[in-house]
Amino acid sequence: MIRAAYLHIPFCTHICHYCDFNKVFLKGQPVMEYLQAMEQEMKRTIAQFPTDQLHTIFVGGGTPTALDIRQLDFLLTSIHNSLPFVADDVEFTLEANPNELSREKLQLLKEAGVNRLSIGVQTFDDELLKHIGRTHRQTDVLRALEAAKAVGFSNVSIDLMYGLPGQTLAQLQTDLALAFSLDVQHISAYSLIIEPKTVFYNLMRKGNLSLPDQEEEAEMYEEIMKKMEENKYNQYELSNYTRPGFESRHNLTYWNNEEYYGIGAGAHSYVNGTRNVNARPLKKYIELIQQGKLPYIEHHEVSETEQMEEEMFLGLRKIEGVAKQRFYEKFHRSVHDVFAEVIENEKEKGLLEETATHLRLTHRGKLLGNEVFQAFLGTT
């Protein structure tokens, strides 16, 4: 049974230099028409792929908080009208930009049942924020967090980035120290990845982007893991750290290789063993909805072999690793029956270790995770 839904809001008031998500400038866009199309997609999706309740809802982007109060209210009302869930149990997350979290918006979110905020901080260094194309500043973050607490939010996550152009280890250490002083419940810390069709990609191609080298980036990751542990944040996934009980249930859906709905332009879904991709351009997405269709432009029925591979490279992102019993229950085969040679090779390299119940990355394996994940692809 499907327990998770992702909703994509593609509008931004500014495009960050590193972002390759499906997004458009807010100004002049058919925002209400898009939100109405999303409402229809939600209803149509639930009708075709029913579930009894949802445990997690995640509204991401783009920037959901780029919506004005009227638009945000319509979105939240349409979620309540279209998706079945138990309000007392659901983890309802909304991504936010610090400089767009007004007290009025926070109050609306709280009253509509949003109980988790994911705030895009990236760095507290104002010069670095300018350099990566962010429009908020450190003071905006502090103000937003204070307002969120005042409204009653008690589950707040912040995103940090490292390996940024010109970023030093000392700057990262300052970011971490300030993050810990804010006493948020969850911190995600992602390394910068240069993606095609971004400002940074174009600068890199021209030789105008100065990035930390691999050794410096690894040192930053080591520092993050060390400081998180010292400050009582448990690393439960390669890039995610939490106070006890505040793990992201929605993201665990992905890492546990479970199915989920994906609503909105460019959204991905995984339902009935099939991965679907929605139309990305707003006009095409809205047209497909108005024609009475689901807006899928790609379908891929996931074979059992692919499911087993995904179980490994997604599950190994979790610090606890892949549960051997869970693998057997899902596929009626032991993980060693399927991947014996790969497992032994990665163990010999010192990248993988085994307990009585799990296969998991070693400390060194965390630094070279992509190599381990790649080893499980195309081997069965």
Side-chain angles (χ1 to χ4, degrees):
M1 191 66 71
I2 300 169
R3 300 297 188 202
Y6 172 80
L7 286 78
H8 189 73
I9 305 300
F11 308 111
C12 292
T13 55
H14 182 80
I15 305 299
C16 302
H17 296 347
Y18 54 83
C19 181
D20 75 326
F21 295 124
N22 191 37
K23 77 281 182 186
V24 293
F25 283 110
L26 177 68
K27 189 175 181 180
Q29 297 294 339
V31 178
M32 285 304 298
E33 193 176 359
Y34 176 79
L35 297 176
Q36 289 163 356
M38 283 184 70
E39 181 176 41
Q40 290 304 308
E41 187 191 359
M42 282 186 266
K43 291 177 178 178
R44 215 165 282 163
T45 299
I46 293 295
Q48 187 162 334
F49 308 105
T51 189
D52 54 353
Q53 66 177 27
L54 291 173
H55 290 176
T56 81
I57 295 173
F58 194 106
V59 183
T63 317
T65 47
L67 301 177
D68 64 28
I69 285 290
R70 182 178 66 92
Q71 294 160 348
L72 200 53
D73 184 45
F74 180 90
L75 170 66
L76 295 165
T77 301
S78 70
I79 290 171
H80 281 282
N81 289 341
S82 308
L83 299 180
F85 63 83
V86 180
D88 290 342
D89 182 56
V90 70
E91 176 193 84
F92 193 167
T93 304
L94 186 128
E95 286 185 338
N97 271 353
N99 53 328
E100 295 170 347
L101 270 181
S102 66
R103 183 66 176 258
E104 189 181 10
K105 285 184 183 178
L106 283 164
Q107 196 68 52
L108 173 63
L109 295 175
K110 185 69 176 171
E111 290 171 359
V114 174
N115 52 25
R116 183 175 185 270
L117 295 175
S118 178
I119 300 178
V121 174
Q122 318 315 354
T123 175
F124 294 100
D125 187 296
D126 285 352
E127 287 304 312
L128 278 177
L129 285 168
K130 289 181 194 174
H131 195 37
I132 66 176
R134 298 290 286 178
T135 55
H136 75 268
R137 298 296 175 257
Q138 181 186 128
T139 54
D140 296 313
V141 178
L142 303 181
R143 191 182 305 115
L145 287 171
E146 184 179 352
K149 287 182 180 180
V151 167
F153 282 96
S154 57
N155 188 356
V156 177
S157 176
I158 62 172
D159 286 355
L160 297 176
M161 295 181 73
Y162 65 97
L164 298 172
Q167 186 181 33
T168 64
L169 180 61
Q171 286 173 309
L172 175 64
Q173 289 168 330
T174 300
D175 276 350
L176 291 171
L178 185 47
F180 298 140
S181 75
L182 300 172
D183 196 31
V184 294
Q185 288 70 41
H186 186 281
I187 302 174
S188 299
Y190 301 106
S191 65
L192 173 67
I193 297 174
I194 306 298
E195 301 284 4
K197 300 179 182 178
T198 63
V199 172
F200 277 168
Y201 181 79
N202 293 330
L203 288 173
M204 185 180 70
R205 289 187 64 192
K206 295 173 183 174
N208 294 328
L209 194 66
S210 175
L211 296 169
D213 60 31
Q214 275 190 321
E215 189 174 320
E216 290 173 309
E217 191 171 312
E219 188 179 8
M220 288 181 178
Y221 185 40
E222 294 263 21
E223 181 71 5
I224 290 168
M225 289 191 285
K226 175 187 169 189
K227 293 298 185 186
M228 291 288 183
E229 185 175 3
E230 288 175 359
N231 286 273
K232 305 294 189 294
Y233 283 88
N234 176 52
Q235 184 182 20
Y236 69 104
E237 191 269 347
L238 289 179
S239 302
N240 286 271
Y241 308 80
T242 184
R243 299 287 197 200
F246 289 95
E247 294 83 358
S248 169
R249 287 161 54 191
H250 185 84
N251 285 338
L252 281 167
T253 299
Y254 304 142
W255 303 321
N256 288 330
N257 199 22
E258 296 169 353
E259 296 191 340
Y260 54 90
Y261 301 118
I263 306 295
H268 292 227
S269 60
Y270 185 22
V271 293
N272 286 7
T274 300
R275 294 193 182 275
N276 306 297
V277 180
N278 285 2
R280 287 173 64 92
L282 266 63
K283 183 179 179 182
K284 179 66 174 176
Y285 170 80
I286 293 170
E287 282 177 357
L288 288 171
I289 295 295
Q290 290 176 343
Q291 291 167 10
K293 303 174 182 176
L294 285 171
Y296 303 154
I297 56 166
E298 292 179 28
H299 305 268
H300 177 71
E301 190 171 335
V302 185
S303 68
E304 184 175 67
T305 295
E306 290 170 319
Q307 288 178 42
M308 291 189 291
E309 292 172 351
E310 290 174 355
E311 192 78 11
M312 297 306 295
F313 70 73
L314 290 170
L316 286 171
R317 292 196 61 87
K318 297 180 296 179
I319 300 308
E320 71 173 14
V322 173
K324 292 185 279 189
Q325 181 62 29
R326 176 185 166 89
F327 188 97
Y328 182 82
E329 288 170 358
K330 287 183 78 169
F331 303 110
H332 309 293
R333 297 175 67 184
S334 120
V335 66
H336 282 281
D337 286 344
V338 183
F339 296 111
E341 186 177 347
V342 181
I343 290 170
E344 289 310 308
N345 286 343
E346 298 308 305
K347 284 166 70 173
E348 286 177 13
K349 293 177 189 174
L351 303 180
L352 200 63
E353 62 186 10
E354 187 168 3
T355 69
T357 58
H358 287 76
L359 285 162
R360 65 190 183 199
L361 297 177
T362 62
H363 181 80
R364 183 164 173 262
K366 293 177 189 177
L367 300 172
L368 299 169
N370 287 336
E371 290 185 20
V372 183
F373 305 151
Q374 189 65 36
F376 283 94
L377 298 178
T379 59
T380 57

